[in-house]
Amino acid sequence: SLKEHAMDFLETFEKEVAQLAEVQECYHIAGHYDYMLKVNIKDIETYQLFITKKLAGLENIGNVKSSFVMKEIKHTYAIEAED
């Protein structure tokens, strides 16, 4: 989540986060959080460094919440055609 939500703050965050090599996907979302990031990190120690040295270092970061995939149940991009 970001501290400030004015358009210039959002644009700055988006430009900065797009430059982080670890970030594979970034979505501006509705709900409790402002953005959802998908990051690729080799282990928890590297993740901790990414959060503390890179992500939290961005000027407008207010709060970071993390979730980790335990098991992939289904992964598809298929869209069923409607008749």
Side-chain angles (χ1 to χ4, degrees):
S1 297
L2 304 181
K3 294 178 197 173
E4 299 288 336
H5 296 91
M7 185 59 72
D8 56 330
F9 286 106
L10 299 177
E11 290 172 350
T12 298
F13 170 78
E14 290 172 7
K15 287 176 186 172
E16 291 174 340
V17 79
Q19 298 302 311
L20 299 175
E22 298 87 349
V23 177
Q24 292 184 321
E25 299 174 32
C26 177
Y27 302 95
H28 191 184
I29 60 174
H32 295 294
Y33 308 106
D34 298 318
Y35 289 88
M36 179 176 66
L37 308 179
K38 179 180 174 182
V39 298
N40 187 352
I41 304 287
K42 72 176 184 170
D43 56 32
I44 197 69
E45 290 82 17
T46 306
Y47 178 73
Q48 190 266 340
L49 289 172
F50 169 75
I51 293 296
T52 58
K53 302 286 185 186
K54 293 187 178 184
L55 193 60
L58 300 181
E59 183 178 337
N60 197 27
I61 295 292
N63 193 1
V64 175
K65 299 282 185 185
S66 300
S67 298
F68 299 93
V69 174
M70 301 292 289
K71 178 181 175 182
E72 183 174 84
I73 308 304
K74 181 177 181 179
H75 182 140
T76 182
Y77 294 107
I79 299 174
E80 188 173 314
E82 294 183 30
D83 293 329

